[in-house]
Each structure stands twice: as C-alpha cells, then as structure tokens.
Amino acid sequence: MYENTTRQMMKWVAGLVATIAMLPTLAAWELNMPKGITDSSQEIYGLHMLIFYVCVWIGVVVFSVMIYSIIKHRKSVHPEPATFTHSNVAEVTWTAVPVIILIVMAYPAAKTLVKLEDSSASDLTIQVTGYQWNWHYEYPEEGISFYSRLSQEANIARQVNSGIDPTSVPNYLRDVDNPMVVPVGKKIRLLLTAADVIHAWWVPELTGKRDAIPGFVNSLWFKANRTGTFRGQCAELCGRDHGFMPIVVKVLSEADYAAWVRDRADTGMTAAVTTAATDSAADAGAAALDPPVAVAAAASTSGGDAAPDMTALILKGESVYAQHCVACHQANGQGLPPAFPALTAGAITTGPIDGHINIILNGSPGTAMIAFGALLSDADIAAVVTYERNALGNSVGDMAAPADVAALRGE
Amino acid sequence: MSEAIRKYYVPHGSAWPIIGSVSLFLLAFGAGNWLNDGAIGRYMVYAGTAGLLYMVFGWFGEVIRESVSGIFGRREDSSFRQGMIWFIMSEVMFFAGFFGALFYARQLAIPWLGGEGANIFTNLLLWSGFEPAWPTNGPGGLGGTFEPMPWKGLPLINTALLLTSSVTITIAHHALIDGNRKLLKWGLAATFVLGFLFLGLQVEEYYEAYVHLNLKLSTGIYGSTFFMLTGFHGAHVTLGSIMLVVIWLRVLRGHFTPTHHFGFEAVAWYWHFVDVVWLGLFIFVYIL
Amino acid sequence: MTSHAAEHHDEHHHGPEKGLKRWLFATNHKDIGTMYLVFALAMFFVGGAMAFVIRAELFQPGLQFVDPGFFNQMTTMHALFMIFGGVMPAFVGLANWMIPLQVGAPDMALPRMNNWSFWILPFAFTMLFSTLFMDGGAPAGGWTLYPPLVLQTGNAFPFVILSVHMMGISSIMGSINVIVTIMNMRAPGMTMLKMPLFTWTWLITAYLLILAMPVLAAAVTMLLTDHYAATSFFNAAGGGDPVMFQHIFWFFGHPEVYIMILPAFGVISEIIPTFARKKLFGYSAMVYATASIAFLSFIVWAHHMFTVGMPLSGELFFMFATMLIAVPTGVKVFNWVSTMWRGSMTFETPMLFAVAFVFLFTIGGFSGLMLAIVPADFQYHDTYFVVAHFHYVLVPGAVFGIMAGVYYWLPKWSGNMYNEKLGKLHFWLSTIFVNVTFFPQHFLGLAGMPRRIPDYATQFADFNLISSIGAFVFGLSQLLFVYIIWQCVRGGTKATDEVWEGSHGLEWTLPSPAPYHSFELPPTVR
Ligand code: HEA
Ligand code: HEA
Ligand code: CUA
Ligand SMILES: [Cu+2]
C-alpha cells in the first residue's frame, strides 16, 4: 500500500513540476502573461519571468530533497530514524541564502517600479472617469470627450439565458462602442478618477492596472511601440456589471490619429454625439435591447391626445434608457430595490414632471444616481423622461420637451 | 491541599452564555432591522439589551458568589487578571482603529486633496481651490460652516476631572490594601462621581457643538473623527462608571479583602485605560 | 512523562450532562471543541455550496444560471463563510480540544466564556445567512467590503456589519481563553520551550487575533456610520478617503491570513515528527520563525493595495517587508523537510495530508512572493492569479492542515481508528482535484481574467471548464470525509493510547478516547 501510494504521489508531483516548467513554452495558449507592446509591459514581463524561475528553481531543490527523502527514508527502507535535532550551520545557511536571493530580486523590481511611477513629461493627457458601468474619456487638449461601453451585441448576448452563443460574438465582452484612441510612440498619461465607486483601468498589453477612485485622481502612463487594438477590462469590483465594462484602446499612427481627432472635432464628439448614433438606430426602429412592444403599446394608448412626436420621443427615450439607465433600473423598470428603486409607479416618475427631470439632471447626491445633466443632451433627457412616464408600466400621458429640460438646467 | 496540586475550578454547566448569545443576537438583529426602519427592530433591541443586562448581573453574580465562597485559588485569580488585561488590549486596538483614521486623514488624505505629493490633479480637476487645513469638513464643505471645539473650556475641565479620578481610585486601592475601609469607600465614591460629572459635561459639550458651533457627526472628517472618538470614549466612561458603582456596592457589602480583590482591580485597570485614551484624545483631537 | 490524572476518580467526578443541556450549557473544553468542529464542518459545506454556484456559472462563458448581482453575493458570502465560519472556528475547535491536553490542563482557563465564544457564532452566521433573503440581497461588494461599493448594499448592510461584530467578539474571547490557558494552566515542568508546536502557534495566533480583530470592528463601524450617520470617513468630499478603509481593513486582513495558517503550521509540525519517528528539527527556530512571521504580518498590509496609487516610498517599503516574510516561512519549510530527512517514515492519512501541505503551501507561498513584486502585481492584482494564490495557501494549506489534524487526533477523540483505506482515497481525491481546480487559475490570471466576474471573454473558456470540473469533484470528495468521520465515531477498531507508533506529547498519555475530565490534577512533565 505505502509503496503504491508513493509511486502515485511521485508521478503526480513530477507531472506538476513538468507543467510548471513547461509554462513559458505554452505561451501561445495564453498560459502566460502577455509580453505587451510597451517597454513597461515588457519590463514587467521580464520581472515576472525572473521571479517565476527563481521560485521554480527553489521549488525544484526543495521538492527534490523531499521526494528523495520520501523514497529513501521510509520505514520499509530506512527502519532506524536518525536522531539529530538541529544544525546551526544549516539553519544559518537557509536563512541567509533566501535573504540574498530576495535582494537579487528586489533590486530590479525597485528599478522598474521607479520608472513606472514617473508619469511626467507626457505628450498627451487623457482624463478617464469610471462610472457604473462604463468609461468616460476626455481629451482636454483636443476638446474631445465620449463614453465607452460594452458593445450592444455582447450586451445582448450576455443577458442571463440569452440563448446566444458567446463564441459567435466577436470579442465577446471585450468590445466597446467607442474605443479610446491614442497615437503610437507618444507618452500617454491617463488621469483616472471615478464618479461613483472604485474601478480600475487595465489593458495588460499596455501596462499594469491602476484604480480609479472617486474623489481622487491617479495617474498612469504608457507609450505604445506599435499600432493595433488592445483590450482589457475594469479590474476592481464595482457592482453588478463589473464584468461588463471593457476597455479598448486603438493605437493609431500619428497621421491616423490626427485624422481621428479632426473627424471628432468636426462632429463635436461630445456626449450628444454618442446619442446621435443611437438616435439613428432608434429612428430605424432598431432599438435593440427589448422588443419595443411595451413602448409601442404605451405610445398608442396615450398617443391619441398627445403631440404627434410622442412615439418618436419614446422610441428615442427607450434607447437612451437602454444605454444609461437599464443597468440599475432594469429593462422592465422594476429596479433592484432597495439599492435601485423601481421606476414603475414611482413617486417621481408619476409625479410632477419637473421633479422627474430634476432628478435626472442633478442626480441624488450620495447615491448611485449620478447627475446625468453632464452626460446627456436636453433632447436625450426629454426623451428618457417621456419614455419613463409612458412606458415601463407607467402611463402618465404627458411628455417633456428639450426646452423644459433647458429651462430647469438654467436654475 | 497545597496550592500546587489544588484542582482548578471548572464550573459545570452554565446557562448564562447561551442567554448572552440569544440576547446579543436579538440586539444585533433588532439594530439591523431598526436601521432599516423595520417595525420590530426597536423592541428586539430593548429585549436584547435587557437580556444582556440580566446575563451580566446573573453571570457576575454567580462568579462573585463563587469568589466569596473561596473556591478560587491563585491560578483562577491569575486567569481572571490575564483575561482582563487582554480584553483591555483588544479595546486599545479598537481605539487604535479610530485614531488611525484620524492620523490618516490629517497626515495623508487632506494634504492629498489639497494637491500634495502626486496629487496635483486631484486638487486641480476635482477640488480646485481647496486649501488643506485642520480642522476641516473637506473640500465639499459637508455640513456647512462650523467652529471647531476649543480645548480650553469644557475639555480642559474634563481632563482635570478624569486625571483626578485616576488619583482617587489609586487612593482607594491603597486604602483597600491597607484595610482602611472608610477611605476606600470615599475614594471609590469620589471616582464615580467624577466619572458622572465628566459625562454630564460631555453632554453639555455635545450640546454646545450641535447648537452653537454647528459641529455635527456630518461635519466632514473633523466632525466624524471628533464625535466617533469622543463618543466611543464616552461610552466607555459610562460603562466604567457603572462598574465603579457596582464595585462600590460590593465594597459596602464587604466583598473585598486586602489580598483578594480582583474585581476591584479589574475595574481600576479599566478606569486607567479610559483615562489614558482620554489623554490621547485631548492631545490629538482637541489640542493639536 | 507521567500522568496520573486519568486514573484518578474522586468525589467530584461526573460525566457529561444529558441531552441538549450538555451542549447549550457546556463548559467542558472537549464538548465545546466538538461543537466548534461540527459547526465549522457545516459552514465549510455552506461555503462550498456557494463555491459550487460560482464554479457552475463560470463553467462556460455566457450567463446560464444566476444574475450578475447574485453572483457577486455568492463570491462575498463564500469568502465570509469559509474564513469566519469555516477555517477560524475549525482551528478554535482544535485548540479547544488539544491545548488543554497538550499542556496538561483540566480544561480551558475560562470555561463559561469558552461557551459564550462558541454560541455567538451560530447566531452570527444565521444572521449573515439571512441576508440572502433580504431586500437587495446579501452583500455583494466582496469580502473586503470596500466602500463606496459596499454602501450600495440593500437592507443587508447593517446585518453584515453587526454579524462581523459578533464574529469579532467571539474570536477575541476565544483567543483570550487560549492565551490565558497557555500562560496559566501548564502542568508543572511544562516550560514555554517544551510546549508542543501546535500550542505555540496557537498562542501566537491568539495574540494576532487580539490585535487584529478589534481593528476590523473599528473599520466596519465607520462603514456603518458613513452609511447611517452621514460621517465622511471614506468620502473625499468631506475630507476622508475610500482608500483609508482599505488601509484599516488590511491592517486586520493581512494578519488574518496568518491567523488562518499559523495553527496549520502547528498541526503539521506535530504530524511530521510523529510519522518520521524523529524529533522535530530546529524546534526553537520554528518558534522564532512563527513569532517573526507574526511580527512581520503587521507591517505588510498595503501589499493588497499596490494599485491604489500609494506614494512610491510606500510601495517600496511594503514590497520589501512582504518579501521578507519568505525567510521565516522558508525556515519552517526547510525544518519540516529536515525532520523528514533520514527519518523512518510511514504514510498514514495524516502524514499524507501533511506532506501535501508542505508541497502545495509552498507553491502558494511562491505565488505570494510573486505578488509581492510591485510592478508584477500591477498585472496580477485582482486577477485569477491572486485567486489561485490564496486558494493554494487556504485550501491545500489551511484546510488540509485542518483535515490532517482531524485524522491525526480523531482516534484520540473517538477511541476508534478511522478507515485508513477510505482516508487514503479521500486524500488522493482531494489532492488531485484541488490542483485541477486551482492550478489552471494561475494561467487564467496571467492571461488577463479579472476576479469577481460572472462571465468572461471566450479565450478563458478552457481553463475555466477544467477548474469547474475540479471543483465539483473536490467538493464531492469531501462528502467522503464526513462519511469517514461518522463511521469512525460510530465504532471501529479500538485505538491504543499512543495511537501512532511515533507519537509524542502529553495528549498520548491519556486513554483513547480521552476521558471527559482529563488532568484534573496536573501531570508532571520532566
Ligand atoms: C493562509 C493564507 C495566506 C498566506 C499564508 C499567504 C502568504 C503570502 N501572501 Fe497572500 N493572500 C491571501 C492569503 C494568504 N497569503 C489571501 C486570502 C489574499 C487575497 C485577499 C483578497 O484580495 O481577497 C492574498 C493576497 C496576497 C497579495 C495581494 C495580491 C493582490 O491582490 O494583488 C500579496 C502581495 O504581496 C500576497 C503575498 C503573500 C506572501 C508574500 C506570502 C508569504 O507568507 C508566503 C511565504 C512562503 C513562501 C515564499 C514559500 C516557502 C519559502 C521557501 C521555500 C523559502 C525560500 C523562498 C524564497 C527565497 C523565494 N498575498
Ligand atoms: C478558507 C477559505 C476558502 C476556501 C476553503 C475556499 C474554497 C473554495 N473556493 Fe474560494 N474564496 C475564498 C476563500 C476560500 N475559498 C476567498 C477569501 C475568496 C475571495 C472572495 C472575494 O473576492 O471577495 C474566494 C473566491 C473564490 C472564487 C473567485 C470568485 C470570484 O472572484 O468571483 C472562486 C472561483 O472559483 C472560488 C472557488 C472555491 C472553490 C471551488 C473552493 C472549494 O475548495 C470548496 C470545496 C469545499 C471545501 C474545501 C470544504 C470542505 C472542507 C472540509 C470538509 C473540512 C472539514 C473540516 C472539519 C472537520 C472541521 N473561491
Ligand atoms: Cu468598474 Cu469594475
Ligand atoms: Cu496579505
């Protein structure tokens, strides 16, 4: 029995050691950390492999001694145990040697760290703000700003029991509507913060991650050595949809980057533009998330005496809702009480319309309900208010005009 | 039997702990429910508190009876002593958590919000115009304009009260050892009177703060640390004062002997601990 | 060593009370120890069931079973149940049973308080479990309870915090009892440096608990007031800082992880000499190493927060301090190996678990060391590499330590030998599948899979599948463990007093099963 067990155990250990040793050669299977395309990420990779091999070798030595002992010093082979109980030489050695090994590891680590923490002398600064659950990018020098969230296709596929095979979705959970765009060969500095809870911005091939903390600004830098599209995702638990706030960075050549900036400047890529895209989607009747049955019904019941553009407004409102509000208040408007209130038959959503516009414009301080006034255009807010009042099980029957929103904004 | 081979006293079965557990559960569950505006919470809290009080009196009463009957030897006594010391140590660490928050906020968080170190952008982008200073209610000015609590008024008097009470309890202790029962009674009484006086003045101080200084729990980090530290300290003074009264009543009944008075000493240690915490508070919360 | 306690029957001798009273009113360290162990076993299975939900959802990409919010609740509750309900009470159970026996004491020093420490726990965990049925569900912000996220918890919020308070009260009272018992109740001649290592490691663990648990209590109290009393400890607008919570939490949290491993070190240090039939190598070095680990554990906490944007000097300090822990831990590993060296070993189940512990804990320690390297941690942090690290030190570390201890002492507790064949089977199933479960998670983390996500990009599918299969088999194997214990308690071959050929120490001088009252009069230790 003992014989047997040992042999089994040995095989298993050998297998394990072999697996560890094979790890780097299997890199093609995404077993290892990516080398990345920046000097920083490659330096980190180098450090990672250094410590890894140090550990493997210590492991090999320690485990070999143990395995040898397990074989040779078992009772059946070695019936008389030795009686030694300590050895000063051995004990001093195995205290001192690890200390030396650690110093050898700590030195390059410290050097790399100093470099990573130096974000001065950057060529381009981008302000990144984490929201539950999307990212906002702002290029202050170029006057560009936009939101970036999980691509619609993946968003549909990732619903519980959506019936859609994730492998059929390209870059499932790793694709966004508006990627961050940067020029190659420039030192990019990110200024990270968050609006609600802590998030972390991470694209492994560019550099390590850094937390985006509400009320504080952290910085992080990278300098891409080649062009391409690089993917990552939020790396700090930030609530329900933490797994669904990807990050995509497009590294363009300088010329392409300049063209992109010009393009954005022309269309004024601000919050309003993000929704311009969805406007057309809504117009085309392609409000993707939920079949707009409920909406249509609500629109038709109240459509008679309301202004003729109510249906359009509701359709547009639905897509705004699907983009910005559904995460918390849910597709059916039931919310996730008590953290996220239901909008169906809510005091505010069925109360005076000014109050309704107001909470969307200004949010509710201290809660996850942020001030959407800064993110959405007047038209969007008017649309989503109208949608909420006449769909999701509500049928108040009135509607908000962009001018109403503008008026309240002024106060 | 000589002490060395004397049997250690192991009680056989006791209902007090389970009563305590049920009460603690009622208290905690009730408090949770109450905080959620539940209907039954407050009654559970009342029941739990009553149960805990019942347990404390019952349990300690039993221990006191055992003690008086003389079944505790040197080792039992030593167990109680060491237990008390480590309990106080855990209390010290509890306060250390809040002091840590105070130091962190003053030494790190607030300077960072003001742009120190690598945090220029924190200040520029999010809190521009915020000047780090202490006391502060933060860059958001939470709670509105307030005045800090000056140390020269009530707090200074309170310091004097507590320091005096430390002296009186030491006098009482020496009196106990010397068999001077009269001094013992008076020293102890003086101690808890000083304790209650302290509490009275603290209530007065809180009233000042809320009504005249606009200094509240919600007054940013200054209000938060101020009330949490002084509040938890006050709660400990309350507990300590009640224990002093109990000990005093026991003295009146003649419970302690010059050589055998663990209960007295435990309370004295606790009182000194409360005193030392206050000195820390006085220096770091009020003066500096 | 001699013992005359067991044979002493005098007028005060009585056995256990009858029925429920025996357990509700218990003051006997063995009864309380048994309750702790049974409770921990139950909580392990509750936590294990939650791990099942996690692994089932992660079995393949896409969301099949649960809502993402519920997934986060499972992750949070799994950790809280495993750590506070499983590992810690299991070790307190072992301490209750073994420390009085090992130091030659009649019982724990403060028997009534001992009862209270235990009975708080079932209530605390009932309360914690009940949060699953509350409005807004159980806490879903991770076991680390970081604000501001945790402030979004629904009705469960105050209940979680108050249950953590209850667990803290229980742990503090439990550790006071351990310290006092060890310092005050040792038999004559049992000097500190003659104490068995399990007792030593528990003594040091108890100090860690007393210094760390109240800090957690303070931290969660501040969460409570931030939520309900509008304080601004963790709110920048009021001059606080969300990261401040992390510092205070990890000041508790890092010592906490050693609280979960030091007693396991103790168990292993008992078992290896027994089955190697050779004295523990470097006894005093082991004691000093344990103390050094405990000391260092208080100055490394910020290695959990390298990505929050600490000043460079802080990052360097915490990196160096963390790396240093490898030295005393290495001393322990080397001493275990040297104890085995030229011994005369047999491999009964406890020894198998102990040997696997040394291998697999070391692997977990290595990944810990890798995490300590700050630039590399910028990549590893909050990925499955971290999940792999801590499950290696916790499952084949702490949990194997518990299992080894249970197999080792079970014959002494029950008077019967367990079924060695089944024990070995349990060992092999556990050891193989714990690796199948957690080894691939290293790869996932390195390839970029973050932790605490219910769904993942498709390139992570293969290893998640393997890991889930491993988890299912590993979890089911534990039912075998329960069966083995049950069978052993019911009957079987009578165990001798020594139980193991190479056993050493006071506990083996008592009859098996250990009498209800042992060492009423202290034995003399020479
Ligand atoms: C039992 C629990 C336990 C133990 C013992 C350890 C042991 C160690 N841990 Fe681990 N750790 C956890 C439980 C534990 N950890 C948990 C639960 C988390 C995650 C918490 C969360 O976020 O939820 C965590 C996270 C964690 C992090 C944060 C990672 C991150 O979030 O980014 C780090 C970083 O430094 C770390 C480091 C270490 C180190 C250096 C050790 C060392 O003690 C290891 C020392 C041992 C060895 C090194 C092996 C043996 C030594 C030799 C053979 C000698 C020679 C060796 C050399 C010289 C290399 N741990
Ligand atoms: C001691 C602690 C412990 C233990 C034992 C386990 C056990 C397991 N854990 Fe867990 N886990 C954590 C502590 C632990 N875990 C922590 C701290 C986290 C982080 C949470 C967070 O992010 O906030 C985590 C997170 C975590 C994740 C990541 C979730 C996420 O990021 O979303 C996963 C995923 O696979 C996982 C899986 C498992 C599995 C399959 C087991 C299996 O091993 C479970 C199988 C069952 C058992 C091991 C119990 C059997 C034990 C016995 C039978 C012993 C009996 C003893 C006596 C007789 C007293 N755990
Ligand atoms: Cu945002 Cu996770
Ligand atoms: Cu740690």
Side-chain angles (χ1 to χ4, degrees):
Chain A
M1 182 85 198
Y2 297 149
E3 227 64 358
N4 223 346
T5 36
T6 322
R7 209 160 299 134
Q8 262 173 288
M9 177 142 72
M10 273 185 48
K11 264 192 220 146
W12 172 78
V13 170
L16 189 66
V17 172
T19 325
I20 305 174
M22 261 158 43
L23 202 152
T25 60
L26 295 178
W29 289 5
E30 301 227 43
L31 285 176
N32 203 355
M33 187 188 282
K35 279 208 183 74
I37 53 123
T38 62
D39 294 350
S40 329
S41 71
Q42 280 156 12
E43 236 176 86
I44 294 177
Y45 176 84
L47 263 179
H48 158 68
M49 291 317 290
L50 170 73
I51 357 163
F52 173 71
Y53 280 119
V54 169
C55 289
V56 168
W57 284 115
I58 299 175
V60 167
V61 172
V62 177
F63 295 161
S64 309
V65 175
M66 251 176 98
I67 292 168
Y68 178 86
S69 175
I70 287 170
I71 300 168
K72 295 287 183 179
H73 304 144
R74 53 182 44 246
K75 197 177 173 195
S76 50
V77 183
H78 191 256
E80 265 314 301
T83 53
F84 61 88
T85 58
H86 59 273
S87 147
N88 288 340
V89 178
E91 290 184 55
V92 170
T93 315
W94 65 50
T95 311
V97 172
V99 171
I100 295 167
I101 297 175
L102 291 175
I103 293 173
V104 171
M105 278 163 38
Y107 179 71
K111 247 175 51 180
T112 305
L113 183 60
V114 172
K115 263 191 256 174
L116 292 178
E117 292 292 355
D118 177 13
S119 61
S120 61
S122 60
D123 302 310
L124 173 66
T125 298
I126 304 174
Q127 287 173 29
V128 183
T129 310
Y131 288 89
Q132 279 173 321
W133 291 273
N134 55 64
W135 293 97
H136 180 253
Y137 297 103
E138 183 173 354
Y139 297 59
E141 288 139 68
E142 277 82 6
I144 296 174
S145 83
F146 54 89
Y147 286 88
S148 174
R149 64 177 69 74
L150 182 63
S151 69
Q152 278 293 349
E153 207 182 352
N155 199 20
I156 296 164
R158 65 107 173 166
Q159 301 300 325
V160 182
N161 279 320
S162 66
I164 300 170
D165 178 9
T167 51
S168 71
V169 181
N171 291 312
Y172 178 63
L173 300 188
R174 287 271 168 128
D175 205 6
V176 296
D177 51 1
N178 299 309
M180 174 174 149
V181 178
V182 298
V184 73
K186 296 278 190 216
K187 185 167 182 180
I188 316 288
R189 177 176 54 181
L190 305 183
L191 296 177
L192 296 157
T193 187
D196 33 44
V197 301
I198 304 176
H199 303 264
W201 196 92
W202 184 38
V203 178
E205 284 161 301
L206 298 179
T207 186
K209 59 187 73 64
R210 177 111 330 169
D211 291 358
I213 298 165
F216 288 84
V217 175
N218 268 332
S219 57
L220 179 70
W221 69 271
F222 63 87
K223 186 171 171 184
N225 292 334
R226 67 172 176 82
T227 57
T229 303
F230 304 98
R231 295 168 198 280
Q233 64 190 94
C234 175
E236 174 71 45
L237 180 60
C238 53
R240 185 173 178 271
D241 284 352
H242 157 62
F244 308 99
M245 55 184 289
I247 298 159
V248 178
V249 177
K250 265 197 180 139
V251 181
L252 300 182
S253 69
E254 275 205 60
D256 289 349
Y257 175 73
W260 179 80
V261 170
R262 242 179 292 117
D263 217 36
R264 289 311 180 202
D266 286 351
T267 50
M269 173 85 184
T270 55
V273 170
T274 336
T275 43
T278 49
D279 278 356
S280 49
D283 290 346
L289 246 191
D290 251 42
V293 186
V295 187
S300 61
T301 51
S302 55
D305 46 303
D309 58 347
M310 180 123 167
T311 313
L313 210 50
I314 288 180
L315 277 175
K316 177 178 168 167
E318 188 193 27
S319 78
V320 175
Y321 186 83
Q323 288 240 347
H324 294 272
C325 325
V326 74
C328 298
H329 297 292
Q330 303 297 298
N332 55 8
Q334 293 302 320
L336 294 166
F340 305 121
L343 300 182
T344 308
I348 292 180
T349 44
T350 57
I353 197 159
D354 282 4
H356 191 169
I357 298 175
N358 201 42
I359 191 165
I360 297 169
L361 269 179
N362 301 321
S364 175
T367 72
M369 183 67 198
I370 52 168
F372 282 91
L375 321 185
L376 300 177
S377 65
D378 293 347
D380 286 339
I381 295 181
V384 78
V385 166
T386 309
Y387 170 74
E388 285 176 354
R389 297 175 82 77
N390 298 298
L392 303 173
N394 296 329
S395 49
V396 184
D398 57 357
M399 55 184 276
D404 304 339
V405 181
L408 282 169
R409 218 189 256 279
E411 282 174 11
Chain B
M1 264 188 196
S2 83
E3 185 68 25
I5 51 163
R6 187 197 148 105
K7 272 206 224 163
Y8 191 86
Y9 173 69
V10 178
H12 283 280
S14 170
W16 300 117
I18 191 78
I19 293 173
S21 300
V22 173
S23 309
L24 192 62
F25 174 71
L26 283 174
L27 180 63
F29 203 94
N33 184 279
W34 198 351
L35 285 171
N36 283 332
D37 301 319
I40 47 164
R42 54 198 310 166
Y43 303 106
M44 288 174 82
V45 170
Y46 301 149
T49 311
L52 278 178
L53 285 176
Y54 174 63
M55 176 209 77
V56 168
F57 281 98
W59 187 333
F60 285 12
E62 194 170 317
V63 176
I64 290 166
R65 274 192 302 281
E66 287 164 358
S67 170
V68 173
S69 78
I71 47 176
F72 291 159
R74 202 160 39 77
R75 284 209 297 165
E76 286 85 347
D77 197 54
S78 171
S79 292
F80 291 143
R81 278 161 202 280
Q82 295 188 21
M84 189 66 194
I85 289 174
W86 292 109
F87 166 66
I88 290 178
M89 190 63 209
S90 76
E91 291 267 46
V92 168
M93 290 310 291
F94 182 68
F95 276 98
F98 292 105
F99 273 109
L102 175 69
F103 297 147
Y104 182 94
R106 291 184 60 167
Q107 299 303 314
L108 300 171
I110 289 164
W112 287 344
L113 290 167
E116 242 177 57
N119 280 273
I120 327 152
F121 289 106
T122 299
N123 187 260
L124 281 182
L125 297 178
L126 302 175
W127 311 113
S128 83
F130 174 66
E131 296 278 349
W134 186 265
T136 178
N137 52 356
L142 298 192
T145 321
F146 70 97
E147 277 175 61
M149 181 60 69
W151 62 269
K152 282 188 181 125
L154 293 176
L156 187 62
I157 300 174
N158 263 345
T159 310
L161 290 183
L162 270 197
L163 285 179
T164 316
S165 76
S166 238
V167 175
T168 54
I169 196 158
T170 308
I171 291 174
H173 191 192
H174 282 287
L176 172 56
I177 292 170
D178 299 341
N180 183 345
R181 302 197 57 82
K182 197 166 160 207
L183 188 58
L184 165 62
K185 283 177 207 161
W186 282 106
L188 209 47
T191 311
F192 69 71
V193 168
L194 287 167
F196 285 118
L197 258 175
F198 173 96
L199 287 170
L201 290 185
Q202 194 170 25
V203 170
E204 166 77 15
E205 181 190 348
Y206 278 16
Y207 174 80
E208 275 295 296
Y210 264 76
V211 175
H212 296 125
L213 305 178
N214 190 33
L215 172 58
K216 305 179 174 165
L217 255 176
S218 52
T219 307
I221 189 72
Y222 177 70
S224 306
T225 49
F226 177 84
F227 283 105
M228 284 293 257
L229 276 161
T230 55
F232 271 111
H233 176 264
H236 283 76
V237 175
T238 313
L239 190 66
S241 301
I242 294 173
M243 296 197 309
L244 283 168
V245 172
V246 172
I247 288 298
W248 184 67
L249 292 174
R250 288 187 63 192
V251 165
L252 295 186
R253 290 197 188 171
H255 273 181
F256 300 114
T257 69
T259 51
H260 204 82
H261 50 261
F262 162 72
F264 181 95
E265 276 177 298
V267 175
W269 292 339
Y270 194 80
W271 195 250
H272 287 309
F273 148 72
V274 168
D275 204 27
V276 170
V277 171
W278 175 261
L279 283 182
L281 281 177
F282 188 60
I283 294 169
F284 292 112
V285 175
Y286 289 96
I287 298 186
L288 292 181
Chain C
M1 287 180 200
T2 54
S3 144
H4 29 233
E7 294 81 3
H8 258 89
H9 293 265
D10 58 30
E11 69 285 359
H12 268 305
H13 181 276
H14 31 142
E17 298 231 29
K18 297 275 171 322
L20 202 57
K21 264 174 125 185
R22 169 171 182 187
W23 306 106
L24 289 181
F25 298 170
T27 48
N28 179 289
H29 73 103
K30 300 190 184 84
D31 284 349
I32 296 176
T34 305
M35 287 195 290
Y36 263 114
L37 287 167
V38 171
F39 174 77
L41 186 65
M43 293 301 106
F44 269 125
F45 279 94
V46 177
M50 292 166 176
F52 255 60
V53 175
I54 295 174
R55 284 314 329 168
E57 185 55 66
L58 293 174
F59 190 70
Q60 50 179 14
L63 284 172
Q64 289 83 25
F65 304 107
V66 298
D67 175 86
F70 187 72
F71 181 92
N72 292 343
Q73 297 173 25
M74 285 292 109
T75 299
T76 307
M77 296 284 272
H78 158 70
L80 291 173
F81 270 83
M82 285 297 195
I83 290 177
F84 293 101
V87 174
M88 292 171 66
F91 279 129
V92 183
L94 291 178
N96 253 301
W97 253 101
M98 299 320 299
I99 288 177
L101 300 190
Q102 290 197 328
V103 301
D107 206 302
M108 296 293 277
L110 303 160
R112 277 176 290 229
M113 193 173 83
N114 201 12
N115 175 322
W116 203 23
S117 314
F118 169 74
W119 273 108
I120 286 176
L121 286 179
F123 291 99
F125 279 89
T126 306
M127 193 157 117
L128 184 59
F129 193 79
S130 72
T131 62
L132 277 168
F133 309 102
M134 290 178 183
D135 252 5
W143 80 282
T144 48
L145 304 173
Y146 282 5
L149 180 62
V150 75
L151 302 176
Q152 293 180 359
T153 308
N155 280 356
F157 185 72
F159 293 97
V160 185
I161 287 181
L162 293 167
S163 68
V164 169
H165 276 303
M166 289 170 77
M167 295 166 204
I169 294 171
S170 157
S171 293
I172 289 169
M173 291 197 299
S175 37
I176 289 176
N177 229 330
V178 167
I179 295 178
V180 176
T181 306
I182 295 175
M183 299 312 269
N184 201 24
M185 308 276 289
R186 296 193 311 275
M190 176 65 78
T191 58
M192 293 295 276
L193 282 175
K194 273 192 193 152
M195 284 183 343
L197 260 166
F198 177 71
T199 298
W200 251 118
T201 52
W202 239 114
L203 177 64
I204 291 171
T205 304
Y207 289 128
L208 287 183
L209 276 165
I210 285 184
L211 297 179
M213 290 306 292
V215 178
L216 174 68
V220 297
T221 304
M222 287 185 254
L223 284 181
L224 200 64
T225 58
D226 263 18
H227 194 298
Y228 289 107
T231 56
S232 339
F233 290 105
F234 312 127
N235 176 3
D241 183 350
V243 172
M244 179 162 95
F245 176 84
Q246 303 184 14
H247 280 288
I248 302 174
F249 178 88
W250 287 116
F251 184 85
F252 144 80
H254 187 81
E256 168 69 16
V257 308
Y258 291 99
I259 287 164
M260 291 189 282
I261 204 69
L262 293 184
F265 286 171
V267 172
I268 303 305
S269 306
E270 302 284 320
I271 291 176
I272 291 184
T274 297
F275 294 94
R277 293 168 180 75
K278 184 162 160 281
K279 274 203 166 136
L280 183 68
F281 185 89
Y283 171 90
S284 43
M286 287 300 234
V287 172
Y288 297 130
T290 312
S292 319
I293 294 173
F295 169 74
L296 287 172
S297 76
F298 280 107
I299 57 164
V300 300
W301 74 87
H303 66 213
H304 294 273
M305 329 163 30
F306 283 143
T307 63
V308 299
M310 260 185 287
L312 178 65
S313 52
E315 287 174 337
L316 288 171
F317 171 78
F318 286 109
M319 169 166 77
F320 297 147
T322 304
M323 293 174 77
L324 264 187
I325 298 196
V327 177
T329 318
V331 167
K332 304 213 111 195
V333 172
F334 299 138
N335 281 353
W336 289 323
V337 175
S338 309
T339 307
M340 292 163 67
W341 189 253
R342 294 185 49 217
S344 181
M345 283 185 279
T346 52
F347 296 93
E348 287 88 340
T349 311
M351 181 64 164
L352 287 175
F353 272 106
V355 171
F357 174 96
V358 180
F359 273 109
L360 300 176
F361 170 79
T362 304
I363 292 177
F366 286 152
S367 57
L369 195 73
M370 295 173 74
L371 291 167
I373 308 291
V374 184
D377 185 65
F378 288 164
Q379 295 282 18
Y380 306 139
H381 178 68
D382 266 343
T383 67
Y384 264 78
F385 191 80
V386 178
V387 176
H389 156 65
F390 67 71
H391 282 96
Y392 261 83
V393 284
L394 283 171
V395 184
V399 173
F400 272 26
I402 294 165
M403 291 179 182
V406 169
Y407 279 114
Y408 184 54
W409 284 309
L410 193 56
K412 177 57 61 187
W413 301 339
S414 68
N416 307 318
M417 292 306 285
Y418 60 87
N419 182 330
E420 187 65 51
K421 265 216 176 89
L422 286 183
K424 285 212 169 68
L425 179 66
H426 172 230
F427 167 77
W428 284 109
L429 284 171
S430 298
T431 304
I432 292 169
F433 286 98
V434 85
N435 284 287
V436 174
T437 311
F438 296 115
F439 207 79
Q441 295 186 353
H442 291 110
F443 303 141
L444 286 171
L446 292 177
M449 177 169 161
R451 60 193 280 208
R452 296 166 164 173
I453 58 173
D455 191 5
Y456 44 83
T458 47
Q459 68 264 34
F460 305 128
D462 297 349
F463 286 120
N464 269 303
L465 185 108
I466 298 173
S467 178
S468 288
I469 292 174
F472 299 148
V473 185
F474 177 75
L476 291 177
S477 313
Q478 304 317 317
L479 296 175
L480 183 59
F481 184 44
V482 179
Y483 175 73
I484 294 168
I485 297 175
W486 184 73
Q487 197 192 34
C488 172
V489 173
R490 305 258 342 257
T493 333
K494 283 264 149 274
T496 60
D497 291 0
E498 296 78 34
V499 181
W500 313 108
E501 194 182 63
S503 60
H504 52 100
L506 278 183
E507 72 247 44
W508 310 106
T509 62
L510 289 171
S512 300
Y516 195 63
H517 293 285
S518 37
F519 301 124
E520 282 188 311
L521 292 173
T524 315
V525 181
R526 260 176 272 121

